[in-house]
Amino acid sequence: MLTDDADIAAWQNEGLPADRMSTENATILTNCERWPLMVDPQLQGIKWIKTKYGEDLRVIRIGQKGYLDTMERALAAGEVVLIENLEESVDPVLGALLGRETIKKGRYIKIGDKECEYNPSFHLILHTKLANPHYQPEMQAQCTLINFTVTRDGLEDQLLAAVVSMERPDLEELKSDLTKQQNGFKITLKTLEDNLLSRLSSASGNFLGDTALVENLETTKQTAAEIEEKVQESKVTETKINEAREHYRPAAARASLLYFIMNDLNTIHPMYQFSLKAFSVVFQKAVERASPDESLKERILNLIDSITFSVFQYTTRGLFECDKLTYTAQVTFQILLMNNEINMVELDFLLRYPAQPGVTSPVEFLSNHSWGGIKSLSSMEQFRNLDRDIEGSAKRWKKFVESECPEKEKFPQEWKSKSALQRLCMLRAIRPDRMTYAVRDFVEEKLGSKYVVGRSLDFATSFEESGPATPMFFILSPGVDPLKDVEKQGKKLGYTFNNRNFHNVSLGQGQEVVAEEALDMAAKEGHWVILQNIHLVAKWLSSLEKKLEQHSEGSHQEFRIFISAEPAPSPDGHIIPQGILENSIKITNEPPTGMHANLHKALDNFNQDTLEMCARENEFKSILFALCYFHAVVAERRKFGPQGWNRSYPFNTGDLTISVNVLYNYLEANSKVPYDDLRYLFGEIMYGGHITDDWDRRLCKTYLEEFIKPEMLEGELFLAPGFPLPGNMDYNGYHQYIDNALPAESPYLYGLHPNAEIGFLTQTSEKLFRTVLEMQPHDSNVGEGGGATREEKVKTLLDEISEKLTDEFNILELMAKVQERTPYIVVAFQECERMNILTSEIKRSLKELDLGLKGELTMTSDMENLQNAIFLDTVPESWTRRAYPSMAGLAGWFADLLSRIKELETWTGDFVLPSVVWLAGFFNPQSFLTAIMQSMARKNEWPLDKMTLQCDVTKRNREDLSSPPREGAYVHGLFMEGARWDMQTGMMTDARLKDLTPAMPVIFIKAIPADKQDPRSMYPCPVYKTRQRGPTYVWTFNLKTKENPSKWVLAGVALLLQI
């Protein structure tokens, strides 16, 4: 209707991709009445537009100098203008132009307050690089939105053409000749027909007498017959060509899949940006690198293997260690799904883990949460009777569950013969802490061991791929300097500072000009430029992006750029422009992990001379080694998450070296070793200077009290169980000692309980699966029964939540019931008010989304976020803001919310304090604990500021108590992390293995005057709302302990209100 093959052929010659969607987009763009707005993240559309219009195109960006003047001139002259890289909001000055609001009989248009002459042949094209922009409704009405985003099928067709042109250039040439020939035929036919029609329409009377006309008719008929014959011939040839090309489709399909997985990585971290242009280069090199084979089938397999591994290597060198497994797992799952080798429903279970809530495990070796998973697995056909088998042969299953590495063992009974993915599903329920290892084994089994061996590419290999248009981008980690590699490579190739062809600019205030000059000079002369820490100059980055774009073409072949930047601490703080990131080769360098490597690394900061510099050799060496161990512990303890440190701190080698200098000065100046002063300097100033949390400060202080004390010189100090402080040795002797004496990596080296590692591994695997789930393609319509779409699933959940949600509390009615507003009643009212705010927001947002899904409202980004959150079982952001801290998924969170409402309803029914209060059920538990102090202060007429809470852990459970105490309150619902409470002795004791957060008995809390408190053999235990600790701190409870409280400090013991 709107176009013909001749146009399409011309567009493709101008660089329009050859897939159907691109052709449709181009047709709309050339025919639409309103101005076209191209959504074009891969820049394929803009490339075509620039080639199509060539010199006649005026390219501008909003906000660049003089862009309105260019626009005015183009308006009057009737030229084509392209506005590129639009953001979501457009300068209101252009409002009239976008809406084509002409004045004075269509001859003028207002730009701002200036009337500009309007030439009807003027044409405007808008373009944005944003992948998912949200424009105002009026903008959508004024423009025709055209989505040029590449699709998987579209990219597959483009890559197919590329691979065939490399593998079988003869075929591709034949195909393009055929297309040209057919286009020629069509044009000839069209011309002949038009010619004939015009003659017929102008002929008058008896036109059979018009000889010329009859002859023309004859020629047309003859030509048409000849063309028809040739068309038939070429159709046969075309079918043959297409058949031959189809053989290569699997390779193109695999490459297309890999590109889209790579493209989705920016959801994990905004630093992970990759361009289609860079991907095409990797793809071509992979095709060239694939090993040749006589048989076509084998050659295709070689191609697929080479493409997969090249893309894998290209991507992983720019990923942080913690994200590599996520990416590899996603690649494996998607490849297997594409080949129909795994069941979507099973994968969905593995990623979501929809455990049945509220079940009690019948076997002691599985937790209730694990049993919930087993129950929902058993409802699937392939896992029928799994629950009965585990109960029936509990002994064999117990042995399996408690083995060291269950992922390497065989499952009991006939379950050992299940497929690899089914085994993963079962393991996910029974040993979540081993899942990272199990997924690694799964990848190795499905893709091969080269995908799991953690060898990093050497710098020289990566360097070969760089060029004037491809900078190298180092994503920095604390404690690693990647630029040493650049300098080494430069020396090898003759680029050094002394040769004046190696420029190193460390960015900061005022350095932008220096950097620009260095870039311009280097591009001309072919030098190397290093731009360090570009994250410090946020405002200059867009100029840098433009500069790199300019120099990417026409620069000296030897010109190279190396950029380094730290990643932003949160996605909102990310400032590095996409254009810089996606075209560069990204490389991450991370410090070594594990106590062994860290202790060696700490010692590497010194040498034999350092050890000999102090007159008091013995003391100096002992304290220096203890400091090295302390440094390694505090740096590596981070990996245990909040149980390690409440917040993450950037401890670095500078802290260690300066501490050693301080140690030297103090030992030289004092006759006795000033242990207290040293500990204060190290713990409060050098290392403590980073620390912002009081509990972390206590931990740092405790480590130093354990490691640096007079006993260290008597040879009786153990830095960790089985690792005594070494005596007087030389430098190499110490390294040797670490190799020989340091026990294997385990939480004991940090003073933690082995459960800390289980907790940390479980959370790592939870995060892995959550991320892979978020990266699943949105268009997969496979639901639970293989039928429900994304929208249907969301609608079901939305209705379920709306239905179960109760009405808001009527505060005025409740107030009428109360005679005296005691501290407890004030707390109840505050809680009801907060609950009302939360439930009304839930109702409002769900109602809005419901209308959006029905199509009665335009979908906004808030509604989209809500829909995604419901689908992914996470708590929507607008609800979290009005709620209490929680780490649960949406299903668990909502069940918990209903329990909280029920608890409040019971309490406000008669305003009698419940016999046992569920402390975790409050938005603000502090207010309740304060209310206990207030009511007892009023009763006994004590001054409130001189009181404190005393908590006695009872030997009873919630069910055993039927009435509240005379003063104070009974509370329940607390859990201990890092240790457990021994009911028999009434003391803290070591946790049981694999029981991470044992529940506490009921605690009796009452207020006492502060001076009556007995601090002896007590551990001041922090109470937090969730496992996240840090900002969720509530109070400090003093708990009885027989052992030294420092043991519990190092073990990171805390009470949690929810797990």
Side-chain angles (χ1 to χ4, degrees):
M1 291 286 283
L2 295 174
T3 184
D4 53 35
D5 293 0
D7 288 346
I8 295 172
W11 294 338
Q12 286 174 5
N13 293 345
E14 288 158 356
L16 182 76
D19 56 297
R20 181 183 168 112
M21 185 159 147
S22 302
T23 311
E24 287 173 2
N25 284 340
T27 313
I28 297 169
L29 190 134
T30 45
N31 288 293
C32 61
E33 279 290 305
R34 294 175 295 187
W35 305 134
L37 165 56
M38 300 155 52
V39 179
D40 184 23
Q42 283 88 14
L43 307 183
Q44 291 190 323
I46 194 168
K47 190 171 142 201
W48 165 64
I49 290 284
K50 284 179 175 173
T51 323
K52 178 176 164 62
Y53 291 103
E55 292 297 307
D56 307 332
L57 185 69
R58 300 277 163 268
V59 183
I60 58 173
R61 292 183 185 196
I62 287 190
Q64 86 183 39
K65 231 172 157 174
Y67 81 99
L68 286 174
D69 301 340
T70 317
M71 187 66 97
E72 267 175 54
R73 285 198 297 276
L75 256 176
E79 295 173 323
V80 183
V81 174
L82 168 70
I83 303 183
E84 61 177 359
N85 297 357
L86 269 185
E87 292 300 315
E88 291 196 345
S89 56
V90 180
D91 194 335
V93 170
L94 300 175
L97 178 62
L98 293 176
R100 300 190 184 197
E101 296 158 16
T102 52
I103 49 176
K104 298 190 178 166
K105 297 188 179 164
R107 293 203 314 277
Y108 286 86
I109 266 186
K110 263 188 153 182
I111 291 190
D113 49 7
K114 188 173 174 188
E115 292 182 5
C116 306
E117 198 179 325
Y118 174 63
N119 184 328
S121 56
F122 168 80
H123 197 61
L124 177 69
I125 301 171
L126 305 159
H127 162 264
T128 176
K129 271 203 302 200
L130 303 171
N132 186 13
H134 286 278
Y135 287 108
Q136 297 293 333
E138 55 271 28
M139 176 84 172
Q140 298 184 25
Q142 288 164 343
C143 304
T144 303
L145 274 173
I146 303 176
N147 187 0
F148 264 92
T149 312
V150 118
T151 59
R152 231 162 90 173
D153 299 341
L155 183 61
E156 189 178 306
D157 289 342
Q158 292 171 33
L159 293 171
L160 180 63
V163 72
V164 174
S165 67
M166 291 165 79
E167 289 288 294
R168 296 281 305 274
D170 52 321
L171 270 185
E172 209 46 25
E173 204 173 309
L174 201 58
K175 185 167 166 56
S176 68
D177 288 351
L178 255 180
T179 314
K180 278 189 191 142
Q181 192 187 1
Q182 284 182 330
N183 291 341
F185 291 160
K186 282 168 190 159
I187 294 165
T188 319
L189 258 179
K190 199 164 187 274
T191 329
L192 283 171
E193 283 168 6
D194 291 351
N195 201 344
L196 186 66
L197 280 171
S198 72
R199 287 239 173 161
L200 278 172
S201 60
S202 60
S204 54
N206 179 8
F207 55 75
L208 287 176
D210 187 342
T211 335
L213 180 63
V214 175
E215 278 172 6
N216 192 335
L217 193 68
E218 201 51 46
T219 333
T220 310
K221 200 171 153 192
Q222 210 172 332
T223 321
E226 279 172 28
I227 286 178
E228 188 55 40
E229 206 171 295
K230 282 183 182 163
V231 166
Q232 288 309 326
E233 274 174 38
S234 60
K235 278 222 169 96
V236 176
T237 327
E238 190 173 12
T239 318
K240 278 185 187 157
I241 293 175
N242 285 345
E243 260 172 36
R245 287 177 85 223
E246 278 307 305
H247 288 304
Y248 291 95
R249 191 170 286 280
R254 169 68 60 91
S256 175
L257 173 80
L258 291 170
Y259 170 73
F260 278 93
I261 295 173
M262 184 168 92
N263 203 28
D264 284 344
L265 287 173
N266 60 18
T267 54
I268 304 180
H269 198 296
M271 277 287 202
Y272 302 156
Q273 302 277 358
F274 300 91
S275 73
L276 186 55
K277 198 165 83 186
F279 174 80
S280 307
V281 176
V282 176
F283 172 74
Q284 276 169 333
K285 286 189 176 156
V287 173
E288 288 160 18
R289 237 183 268 147
S291 42
D293 202 289
E294 286 305 304
S295 102
L296 180 62
K297 204 169 170 191
E298 281 304 309
R299 170 69 182 161
I300 305 283
L301 289 176
N302 292 349
L303 276 176
I304 291 179
D305 184 54
S306 171
I307 291 167
T308 311
F309 193 59
S310 299
V311 174
F312 169 78
Q313 271 189 313
Y314 171 75
T315 314
T316 46
R317 71 173 163 212
L319 302 183
F320 290 116
E321 214 45 60
C322 58
D323 297 326
K324 283 181 182 165
L325 185 61
T326 311
Y327 166 69
T328 318
Q330 169 71 338
V331 168
T332 313
F333 291 140
Q334 290 302 323
I335 286 174
L336 295 173
L337 274 176
M338 191 165 97
N339 299 347
N340 290 326
E341 286 179 40
I342 56 176
N343 179 341
M344 185 66 208
V345 180
E346 289 169 8
L347 179 61
D348 198 61
F349 174 88
L350 179 68
L351 301 181
R352 282 175 190 277
Y353 190 62
Q356 276 185 22
V359 294
T360 311
S361 167
V363 287
E364 45 88 25
F365 55 86
L366 288 179
S367 67
N368 292 346
H369 190 56
S370 289
W371 191 251
I374 296 286
K375 287 304 263 185
S376 40
L377 257 187
S378 309
S379 64
M380 282 156 63
E381 184 53 46
Q382 301 86 335
F383 298 95
R384 181 158 294 161
N385 295 337
L386 174 62
D387 48 350
R388 279 167 47 191
D389 277 6
I390 294 178
E391 272 187 85
S393 12
K395 232 182 187 160
R396 284 163 72 179
W397 280 92
K398 180 181 162 94
K399 186 179 167 215
F400 173 74
V401 172
E402 292 181 351
S403 60
E404 189 74 17
C405 306
E407 72 280 3
K408 301 260 191 263
E409 306 287 332
K410 281 203 166 92
F411 273 80
Q413 300 158 304
E414 73 272 15
W415 299 100
K416 60 169 108 21
S417 56
K418 288 285 174 195
S419 75
L421 182 65
Q422 289 166 345
R423 294 200 299 273
L424 275 184
C425 288
M426 293 189 285
L427 203 59
R428 170 93 157 102
I430 55 185
R431 277 297 293 276
D433 59 303
R434 299 301 299 173
M435 287 315 290
T436 40
Y437 301 99
V439 169
R440 200 168 274 129
D441 291 351
F442 178 78
V443 172
E444 187 170 5
E445 180 186 331
K446 298 292 180 190
L447 293 189
S449 55
K450 61 182 174 186
Y451 290 91
V452 289
V453 183
R455 295 293 321 131
S456 58
L457 279 172
D458 64 319
F459 179 75
T461 322
S462 304
F463 173 74
E464 283 167 23
E465 293 175 31
S466 67
T470 317
M472 295 191 81
F473 193 111
F474 296 99
I475 303 174
L476 298 174
S477 303
V480 179
D481 177 22
L483 300 171
K484 285 195 187 99
D485 292 333
V486 181
E487 286 166 11
K488 207 163 82 190
Q489 184 73 10
K491 229 184 221 135
K492 226 191 298 180
L493 301 174
Y495 290 88
T496 60
F497 193 65
N498 296 339
N499 291 356
R500 298 277 178 94
N501 56 6
F502 185 85
H503 311 278
N504 188 344
V505 185
S506 190
L507 285 157
Q509 207 171 0
Q511 290 297 303
E512 299 91 338
V513 189
V514 183
E516 286 189 23
E517 284 168 5
L519 281 171
D520 292 341
M521 183 172 134
K524 220 169 37 231
E525 312 277 333
H527 297 176
W528 287 15
V529 181
I530 296 181
L531 303 176
Q532 294 195 47
N533 300 330
I534 63 165
H535 58 282
L536 300 177
V537 282
K539 289 205 174 70
W540 177 68
L541 291 177
S542 55
S543 321
L544 173 65
E545 181 180 9
K546 262 210 194 104
K547 198 107 199 114
L548 293 178
E549 209 174 295
Q550 283 165 17
H551 290 322
S552 64
E553 285 157 15
S555 296
H556 193 292
Q557 272 307 288
E558 295 306 313
F559 169 53
R560 293 287 183 279
I561 314 149
F562 306 92
I563 303 174
S564 77
E566 281 180 18
S570 69
D572 306 335
H574 173 75
I575 50 169
I576 315 278
Q578 187 180 344
I580 297 180
L581 285 168
E582 62 180 18
N583 291 322
S584 48
I585 294 171
K586 285 165 288 298
I587 295 179
T588 51
N589 292 63
E590 287 178 273
T593 54
M595 205 52 209
H596 201 268
N598 269 288
L599 190 49
H600 275 303
K601 197 172 141 227
L603 202 53
D604 284 341
N605 291 301
F606 311 105
N607 52 32
Q608 186 59 34
D609 299 346
T610 325
L611 295 183
E612 290 168 0
M613 71 185 190
C614 186
R616 305 175 59 181
E617 198 180 318
N618 220 353
E619 291 95 328
F620 181 69
K621 282 184 174 178
S622 293
I623 298 179
L624 183 135
F625 191 86
L627 264 177
C628 286
Y629 190 82
F630 166 74
H631 176 79
V633 164
V634 296
E636 196 53 13
R637 190 179 163 111
R638 274 194 293 240
K639 72 176 182 191
F640 294 102
Q643 199 174 350
W645 293 104
N646 271 340
R647 291 178 168 80
S648 185
Y649 302 110
F651 299 120
N652 54 43
T653 44
D655 301 327
L656 176 63
T657 47
I658 196 88
S659 296
V660 170
N661 291 342
V662 168
L663 169 67
Y664 167 73
N665 294 339
Y666 266 71
L667 287 184
E668 292 286 306
N670 292 297
S671 54
K672 276 174 78 180
V673 180
Y675 287 105
D676 288 345
D677 297 1
L678 288 172
R679 279 199 301 259
Y680 185 84
L681 284 162
F682 303 153
E684 299 288 339
I685 298 170
M686 303 311 166
Y687 285 86
H690 295 289
I691 297 177
T692 53
D693 182 283
D694 292 342
W695 298 101
D696 287 342
R697 194 175 293 277
R698 173 178 82 160
L699 172 66
C700 180
K701 228 169 93 184
T702 310
Y703 267 132
L704 288 164
E705 282 165 4
E706 293 295 307
F707 293 163
I708 298 177
K709 50 187 181 183
E711 292 88 301
M712 63 196 304
L713 299 177
E714 292 147 29
E716 293 168 6
L717 183 72
F718 279 85
L719 294 171
F723 188 58
L725 183 74
N728 193 336
M729 303 182 181
D730 66 351
Y731 181 70
N732 291 334
Y734 282 124
H735 276 297
Q736 199 62 50
Y737 178 74
I738 296 170
D739 285 336
N740 299 338
L742 186 68
E745 180 71 22
S746 82
Y748 286 127
L749 298 178
Y750 309 89
L752 288 158
H753 189 274
N755 280 352
E757 188 167 39
I758 296 178
F760 143 72
L761 286 171
T762 307
Q763 270 159 13
T764 311
S765 61
E766 290 290 334
K767 189 174 167 225
L768 167 80
F769 290 124
R770 158 119 345 257
T771 315
V772 174
L773 175 64
E774 285 169 10
M775 286 174 70
Q776 292 309 301
H778 281 204
D779 52 2
S780 57
N781 291 338
V782 191
E784 293 302 313
T789 63
R790 193 183 176 90
E791 274 78 18
E792 286 164 1
K793 268 189 182 179
V794 169
K795 180 83 177 93
T796 317
L797 288 163
L798 183 149
D799 293 342
E800 195 181 310
I801 294 176
S802 310
E803 193 183 325
K804 286 185 181 167
L805 208 55
T806 52
D807 290 337
E808 290 168 26
F809 290 97
N810 186 332
I811 305 240
L812 293 174
E813 211 173 90
L814 293 176
M815 280 185 171
K817 280 204 239 176
V818 181
Q819 273 88 43
E820 183 199 356
R821 298 186 67 164
T822 65
Y824 293 130
I825 286 172
V826 173
V827 171
F829 279 145
Q830 285 174 348
E831 290 293 317
C832 291
E833 276 169 13
R834 285 202 161 181
M835 188 57 84
N836 283 353
I837 293 171
L838 174 60
T839 49
S840 69
E841 167 60 20
I842 295 178
K843 283 179 186 158
R844 184 204 64 76
S845 56
L846 288 178
K847 192 174 170 189
E848 189 180 68
L849 177 60
D850 194 28
L851 292 171
L853 290 174
K854 284 180 187 158
E856 292 172 24
L857 274 182
T858 313
M859 287 291 269
T860 60
S861 55
D862 288 346
M863 287 150 80
E864 257 179 44
N865 294 340
L866 176 64
Q867 183 183 350
N868 286 340
I870 294 176
F871 181 72
L872 295 169
D873 189 39
T874 55
V875 186
E877 202 263 336
S878 70
W879 303 2
T880 318
R881 275 206 311 272
R882 293 166 175 82
Y884 32 84
S886 169
M887 294 175 77
L890 181 57
W893 182 88
F894 188 64
D896 176 58
L897 174 73
L898 295 179
S899 316
R900 285 164 184 257
I901 294 176
K902 200 169 157 200
E903 191 84 4
L904 267 181
E905 281 172 350
T906 317
W907 190 9
T908 51
D910 52 7
F911 285 106
V912 175
L913 190 69
S915 51
V916 184
V917 178
W918 179 34
L919 193 59
F922 293 110
F923 277 82
N924 183 1
Q926 289 94 317
S927 64
F928 179 74
L929 296 170
T930 312
I932 295 178
M933 292 213 291
Q934 282 174 334
S935 57
M936 285 185 70
R938 286 180 189 179
K939 198 170 174 184
N940 300 311
E941 296 182 349
W942 291 334
L944 190 61
D945 56 347
K946 295 207 169 64
M947 291 173 63
T948 181
L949 285 184
Q950 176 183 329
C951 29
D952 298 321
V953 185
T954 66
K955 292 195 174 180
R956 293 189 265 184
N957 286 327
R958 183 187 171 187
E959 298 74 40
D960 311 337
L961 296 158
S962 53
S963 59
R966 265 184 326 138
E967 23 181 46
Y970 292 126
V971 297
H972 77 100
L974 283 87
F975 302 89
M976 188 178 275
E977 186 173 40
R980 70 184 171 89
W981 186 260
D982 188 344
M983 289 265 254
Q984 265 57 51
T985 59
M987 300 260 185
M988 289 172 68
T989 181
D990 282 322
R992 292 192 183 94
L993 200 62
K994 295 198 181 68
D995 188 0
L996 304 188
T997 44
M1000 291 288 284
V1002 170
I1003 301 177
F1004 172 41
I1005 299 181
K1006 64 175 187 180
I1008 53 165
D1011 50 11
K1012 294 222 173 118
Q1013 202 173 7
D1014 177 17
R1016 283 169 310 181
S1017 61
M1018 286 286 189
Y1019 165 61
C1021 181
V1023 182
Y1024 296 104
K1025 291 182 191 172
T1026 69
R1027 272 206 175 124
Q1028 185 196 346
R1029 299 195 176 193
T1032 67
Y1033 169 73
V1034 178
W1035 209 275
T1036 307
F1037 286 177
N1038 288 331
L1039 298 176
K1040 283 189 189 147
T1041 168
K1042 199 163 54 189
E1043 304 183 52
N1044 189 345
S1046 67
K1047 170 179 174 171
W1048 308 122
V1049 174
L1050 299 185
V1053 176
L1055 287 171
L1056 306 177
L1057 293 181
Q1058 41 174 313
I1059 47 172

